[in-house]
Amino acid sequence: MKPNITIDRRQFLKDTAVLGTAIGVAPNLLGAEATSSAFPSGKIRVGEIGCGSVSGSYLPNLTSQPFIEVVSVCDIIVERAKKRAQQFKVPNVYPNIDEMLAGAPFDLLVNTTSMPSHAPVNKKALPAKRHVWSEKPMALEVKDARELMDLAKQNGVHIWPSPTCVTSPQFKFMVETMASGKIGKVTAAHGTYGHGGPGWSGWFYQKGGGSLYDLGVYNVTTFTGLLGPVKEVVGMETIVNATRKVEDQGEVKVEADENTMLIMNHGNGVLSHVQTGFVYFDGERFAGEGRQLFTIDVTGTKGTMHMQGWDWGPSGVDIASQGEAVLETFCKDPGKYNWVGGATYVAHSLLTGEPSLITPEHGLHVLEVMNACHESQRTGRRITVESTFKWPLFG
Ligand SMILES: NC(=O)c1ccc[n+]([C@@H]2O[C@H](COP(=O)([O-])OP(=O)(O)OC[C@H]3O[C@@H](n4cnc5c(N)ncnc54)[C@H](O)[C@@H]3O)[C@@H](O)[C@H]2O)c1
């Protein structure tokens, strides 16, 4: 299918500038000329693969952007794709990645399949010269993530992995607070993200699933983004339930981590810790307005900083420091940041050529750290991490 959209160029540039602000792009990145020759319609054509739970949150975001046209949806359970197509008025439906790639042309694949399907799907899309936004992790093995990055380079396209947490205003505020010296030298940090576990799909509990890849990944991304690349890792993981009941498969054997503790050494004396699980009481997050659920704590020699809310959807930052030892709340406004806005963010980056704070190098590093945690659990050893990424993220 050919796009039949025409758009006035001046209006388009005006719209994308407004949208840049709307989707949380730093104002100093705006003003770049849109690369209209690469995208003559002035829109990024998107195909989304994986029409399960999270697609129900991605598609309202994608379809409400004037610079995005959702061209196709795909799922191996094709009824799911048909349902999403009907719900969001998407013209083309496919039952597998091969037919999708051979079908209606699109520029950006949004991969919201189950975690074990990410690498195989991404490996088909990149040689077909599609840019890829992949849910996390982009692959289960570091060698596969490296291959994906090589494939992207060879084919002149990009791959970006979820999550989006480094693009929130609260993340940026924490970076700026640390740089200002207000909390002194940062020495330690703690993050937590858990709930009772997904009840809809069995793969979350099987090989290639687990709470660290699904939930802890947000905290690992936040801490590597805030404190820098990790040098070494120690981890412990347990399975609490022998089996779980899920909607798609009935009773499944639990094979992946359900309860995980990860310690990271960022070098220069800085340690951070992430706890994550599918075995956590989660009533607290429904406690209603006014709650101060801290999930990310950063401690320095002169102060301390706590993120309110989850790092994928923060709602403020509380700080106490020398001379102001009572917590004060800052940066309440989430702006237009959206936890499912990552594909929209990179589509905007594609159109304007503006650099993305989310990078595959960072995603690969996060994957290596998570796999080091699994290896530490398996071997009882402390594991060295080899990869790195451009840090600090800003400037
Ligand atoms: N559900 C959430 O709230 C949520 C939030 C944030 C991130 N995520 C991430 O999004 C991804 C999907 O999660 P979910 O909860 O939507 O899972 P899900 O099981 O509900 O949906 C995954 C869908 O992908 C399809 N699929 C699997 N392999 C495929 C393939 N090779 N080709 C085409 N379709 C394929 C499945 O049939 C299923 O419909 C995961 O990486 C998860 O970590 C989910």
Side-chain angles (χ1 to χ4, degrees):
M1 192 195 74
K2 270 201 147 166
N4 56 359
I5 300 108
T6 52
I7 188 165
D8 175 86
R9 183 174 160 75
R10 263 182 314 169
Q11 184 58 41
F12 163 69
L13 287 171
K14 204 171 127 206
D15 287 346
T16 49
V18 171
L19 280 159
T21 312
I23 63 175
V25 176
N28 65 353
L29 297 179
L30 293 173
E33 284 282 291
T35 53
S36 54
S37 58
F39 305 103
S41 71
K43 291 198 176 200
I44 300 293
R45 297 165 302 176
V46 165
E48 179 162 3
I49 184 165
C51 293
S53 163
V54 85
S55 68
S57 300
Y58 265 75
L59 282 163
N61 179 270
L62 288 166
T63 54
S64 64
Q65 309 297 338
F67 63 98
I68 288 176
E69 180 189 8
V70 182
V71 168
S72 52
V73 282
C74 172
D75 199 295
I76 45 174
I77 304 174
V78 74
E79 290 70 33
R80 292 187 177 176
K82 284 183 186 158
K83 186 178 152 204
R84 291 294 187 225
Q86 203 174 19
Q87 251 181 315
F88 295 99
K89 300 186 177 40
V90 181
N92 300 287
V93 174
Y94 299 101
N96 59 59
I97 182 68
D98 298 311
E99 289 183 46
M100 185 189 201
L101 291 171
F106 63 92
D107 308 299
L108 173 66
L109 181 79
V110 174
N111 185 350
T112 50
T113 62
S114 46
M115 296 190 302
S117 289
H118 292 170
V121 164
N122 296 339
K123 274 188 197 177
K124 289 199 165 176
L126 295 166
K129 302 203 182 304
R130 310 305 160 95
H131 302 282
V132 173
W133 168 264
S134 178
E135 258 302 336
K136 36 62 178 178
M138 61 178 159
L140 299 179
E141 300 297 336
V142 171
K143 68 172 175 39
D144 290 320
R146 279 196 209 290
E147 189 184 333
L148 291 173
M149 287 164 64
D150 289 345
L151 280 173
K153 206 173 276 174
Q154 286 156 19
N155 289 283
V157 288
H158 295 278
I159 179 165
W160 299 273
S162 181
T164 54
C165 38
V166 299
T167 66
S168 80
Q170 287 73 22
F171 177 87
K172 187 162 186 271
F173 177 80
M174 285 180 123
V175 170
E176 288 167 351
T177 301
M178 284 166 51
S180 75
K182 186 169 183 173
I183 63 169
K185 175 184 162 38
V186 170
T187 47
H190 168 71
T192 181
Y193 184 24
H195 53 56
W200 52 94
S201 289
W203 63 262
F204 284 101
Y205 303 104
Q206 294 163 328
K207 200 167 174 293
S211 59
L212 183 56
Y213 286 162
D214 189 46
L215 306 182
V217 62
Y218 294 95
N219 290 177
V220 177
T221 302
T222 294
F223 286 143
T224 48
L226 282 176
L227 309 176
V230 169
K231 315 286 183 213
E232 54 181 358
V233 163
V234 174
M236 278 197 199
E237 303 172 349
T238 62
I239 288 174
V240 177
N241 303 287
T243 61
R244 306 276 296 225
K245 278 214 173 77
V246 286
E247 285 163 25
D248 68 336
Q249 297 184 40
E251 190 150 320
V252 293
K253 184 170 177 234
V254 179
E255 298 165 335
D257 63 292
E258 272 187 312
N259 190 22
T260 295
M261 297 275 176
L262 161 61
I263 300 175
M264 298 177 276
N265 182 353
H266 299 262
N268 201 23
V270 184
L271 299 177
S272 69
H273 168 247
V274 168
Q275 68 170 71
T276 185
F278 285 152
V279 286
Y280 286 9
F281 169 71
D282 58 8
E284 190 184 2
R285 64 186 177 142
F286 303 118
E289 295 208 357
R291 75 188 194 280
Q292 288 194 329
L293 178 66
F294 295 144
T295 62
I296 297 290
D297 308 301
V298 178
T299 300
T301 51
K302 293 185 179 164
T304 183
M305 193 163 55
H306 310 281
M307 183 180 262
Q308 285 186 26
W310 309 111
D311 55 354
W312 51 263
S315 53
V317 179
D318 287 13
I319 299 177
S321 59
Q322 242 172 28
E324 300 163 66
V326 177
L327 283 177
E328 191 181 345
T329 302
F330 300 87
C331 200
K332 289 290 295 171
D333 187 0
K336 299 289 182 191
Y337 170 82
N338 188 330
W339 67 279
V340 282
T344 297
Y345 175 89
V346 300
H348 182 266
S349 171
L350 275 177
L351 269 176
T352 60
E354 292 163 7
S356 163
L357 286 171
I358 301 164
T359 64
E361 290 80 8
H362 190 183
L364 181 142
H365 182 72
V366 168
L367 175 64
E368 190 183 353
V369 168
M370 296 192 295
N371 284 357
C373 180
H374 292 329
E375 193 183 338
S376 179
Q377 163 61 27
R378 272 196 306 271
T379 60
R381 288 184 14 240
R382 181 187 296 221
I383 309 299
T384 302
V385 175
E386 306 288 344
S387 63
T388 187
F389 62 99
K390 183 185 157 284
W391 185 83
L393 300 185
F394 296 90

